[in-house]
């Protein structure tokens, strides 16, 4: 189990680095003179890096091994952290975020596969759970760690990255001791084809829409929570910013774990209801300049997003032939990460040319309408099934 623990730590460390900037965005905004829409673009290019990385390098660990790919992910994460550490302009920050996206794309596939392969047959069921905890735990830990350091330690734009680099160094040393689980072949680089098998198209679209709505909210929380707290609530508080986003990621993981206990027919309806409630809470937080509904929204949207993601993965795993699952999984995550980025930029533009109240109201309405549309579609699908029975 030591190999599993080290691999999970490597995975966790790479994902941690991707969310370190979250509570620092308001500080970068003031230090570099960037505006809210540029902050959201800075967040969004990370998601673009993840999507491109998944499409071009998603199969790389199957060919050259899990260890080399995880090592590359750690090194790319270290390059991104180093650029953040010395950055003095928006351009360097953007380059660092794209590189960070590539590191996350590599670590997600290789780390998840390696953890499952290193477990004995009697404990294979632990693989998805440990991978989920490493992934979402890293995302949650990065924003919380950076928020605490920025709030109560010196050099807020430097110290977090020094700590991140130290963790990456420890992970790289540990990775050396891990055994390889894949026989290497000659690597080939090409865009992975995206397709949705017709046998699950309806379920896929509904799961993608609901999970995408949740990812959109997580993206906006990640990119503009600091702006909301600072401008509307008068709370220039990196630790609080980190905590809000921490809640979102932690409860996304909890939602996936809880969904394993729910009947499949309950997952998506419950997720849609949660997302409608979360949209209302976000509107309340923005329009009423209130902290409590913002914290509640992070919890509720996490639960709903986790459940919707779990439902989408389950529909692919159970309804798609093995030889086509890779394409379907890639399509699913490409949609989610695209939706993670685009609404954040849209909110940034509305903030820039109108104000945060308009941005929050419009965004909340769109999320609620999307979730309600999926919910109505699900009810219509279930009604003929009951009549035919």
């Amino acid at each position: 189990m030591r190999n599993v623990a080290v691999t999970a730590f490597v995975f966790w460390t790479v994902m941690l680095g991707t969310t370190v900037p979250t509570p620092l965005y308001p500080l970068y905004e003031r230090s570099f003179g960037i505006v809210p829409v540029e902050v959201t673009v800075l967040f969004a290019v990370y998601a673009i890096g993840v999507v491109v990385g998944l499409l071009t390098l998603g199969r790389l660990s199957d060919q050259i091994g899990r260890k080399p790919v995880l090592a590359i992910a750690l090194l790319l994460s270290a390059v991104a952290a180093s650029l953040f550490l010395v950055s003095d302009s928006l351009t360097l920050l953007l380059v660092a975020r794209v590189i960070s996206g590539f590191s996350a794309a590599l670590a997600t596939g290789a780390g998840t596969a390696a953890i499952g392969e290193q477990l004995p047959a009697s404990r294979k069921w632990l693989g998805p759970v440990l991978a989920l905890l490493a992934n979402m735990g890293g995302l949650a830990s990065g924003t919380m760690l950076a928020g605490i350091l920025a709030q109560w330690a010196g050099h807020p734009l430097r110290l977090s990255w020094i700590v991140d680099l130290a963790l990456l160094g420890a992970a790289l040393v540990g990775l050396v001791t891990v055994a390889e689980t894949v026989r290497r072949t000659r690597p080939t680089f090409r865009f992975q084809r995206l397709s949705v098998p017709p046998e699950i198209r309806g379920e896929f679209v509904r799961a993608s829409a609901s999970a995408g709505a949740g990812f959109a909210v997580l993206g906006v929380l990640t990119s503009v929570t600091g702006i909301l707290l600072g401008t509307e609530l008068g709370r220039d508080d990196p630790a609080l910013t980190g905590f809000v986003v921490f809640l979102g990621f932690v409860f996304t993981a909890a939602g996936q774990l809880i969904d394993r206990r729910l009947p499949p027919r309950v997952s998506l309806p419950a997720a849609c209801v949660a997302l409608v409630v979360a949209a209302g809470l976000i509107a309340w937080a923005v329009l009423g300049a209130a902290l409590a509904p913002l914290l509640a929204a992070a919890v509720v949207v996490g639960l709903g997003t986790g459940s919707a993601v779990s439902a989408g993965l389950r529909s692919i795993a159970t309804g798609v032939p093995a030889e086509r699952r890779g394409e379907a999984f890639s399509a699913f995550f490409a949609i989610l990460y695209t939706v993670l980025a685009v609404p954040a930029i849209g909110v940034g533009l509305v903030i820039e040319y109108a104000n945060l109240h308009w941005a929050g109201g419009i965004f909340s309405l769109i999320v609620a309408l999307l979730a309600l549309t999926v919910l109505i579609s699900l009810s219509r699908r279930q009604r003929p099934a009951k009549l035919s029975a």
Side-chain angles (χ1 to χ4, degrees), residues 26 29 74 145-146 165 174 183 193 234 305 327 382:
E29 190 178 3
L74 286 170
L145 173 67
L165 285 167
R183 177 180 292 182
R193 190 180 67 172
T305 302
E327 297 172 12
Q382 291 175 1

Side-chain angles (χ1 to χ4, degrees), residues 199-356:
E199 54 265 34
I200 64 157
R201 189 159 293 157
E203 187 73 16
F204 181 93
V205 170
R206 284 184 284 268
S208 297
S210 52
F215 262 58
V217 178
L218 288 176
V220 170
L221 282 177
T222 303
S223 57
V224 304
T225 291
I227 298 172
L228 170 63
L229 292 175
T231 60
E232 298 297 322
L233 278 72
R235 300 287 296 268
D236 188 7
D237 190 333
L240 182 57
T241 300
F243 180 65
V244 171
V245 182
F246 170 86
L247 287 176
F249 287 127
V250 165
F251 280 92
T252 298
Q256 292 185 58
L257 294 175
I258 292 170
D259 185 74
R260 295 169 184 266
R261 303 281 185 177
L262 296 177
R265 61 185 178 81
V266 173
S267 294
L268 277 182
C272 291
V273 171
L275 291 170
V276 172
V277 172
L281 289 169
I282 290 171
W284 179 10
V286 174
L287 300 177
L291 177 60
L294 180 63
L295 295 172
V299 172
V300 175
V301 76
L303 292 171
T305 302
S307 183
V309 169
S310 180
L313 296 178
R314 182 173 54 250
S315 70
I316 294 171
T318 59
V320 179
E323 65 273 11
R324 300 196 62 190
R325 284 177 195 156
E327 297 172 12
F329 281 129
S330 295
F332 186 64
F333 282 109
I335 290 170
L336 297 191
Y337 276 99
T338 300
V339 175
L340 185 74
V342 174
I345 297 175
V347 167
L349 286 170
V350 176
I351 293 173
E352 182 70 19
Y353 295 105
N355 56 51
L356 187 57

Side-chain angles (χ1 to χ4, degrees), residues 91-270:
T91 301
L92 272 181
L93 296 179
L94 290 170
V95 173
R97 286 301 276 162
V98 173
I99 294 173
S100 183
F102 273 102
S103 73
L106 289 171
T108 298
T112 301
I115 289 171
E117 292 161 354
Q118 291 166 350
L119 287 165
S122 61
R123 296 187 178 182
K124 288 294 184 185
W125 62 272
L126 264 178
V129 176
L130 292 177
L132 171 66
L133 294 177
N135 191 341
M136 303 308 298
L139 294 172
S141 300
T143 185
M144 197 69 257
L145 173 67
I148 290 171
L149 291 176
Q151 183 74 30
W152 290 296
H155 309 288
L157 295 182
R158 301 288 180 257
L159 183 58
S160 295
W161 298 112
I162 293 172
V163 173
D164 183 34
L165 285 167
L167 290 170
L168 289 166
L172 191 59
V173 171
L175 183 63
V176 173
T177 67
V178 173
E180 180 57 72
T181 59
V182 171
R183 177 180 292 182
R184 299 178 185 180
T185 61
R186 184 174 180 178
T188 57
F189 298 95
R190 60 180 175 82
F191 271 94
Q192 186 164 330
R193 190 180 67 172
L194 301 181
S195 66
V196 182
E199 54 265 34
I200 64 157
R201 189 159 293 157
E203 187 73 16
F204 181 93
V205 170
R206 284 184 284 268
S208 297
S210 52
F215 262 58
V217 178
L218 288 176
V220 170
L221 282 177
T222 303
S223 57
V224 304
T225 291
I227 298 172
L228 170 63
L229 292 175
T231 60
E232 298 297 322
L233 278 72
R235 300 287 296 268
D236 188 7
D237 190 333
L240 182 57
T241 300
F243 180 65
V244 171
V245 182
F246 170 86
L247 287 176
F249 287 127
V250 165
F251 280 92
T252 298
Q256 292 185 58
L257 294 175
I258 292 170
D259 185 74
R260 295 169 184 266
R261 303 281 185 177
L262 296 177
R265 61 185 178 81
V266 173
S267 294
L268 277 182

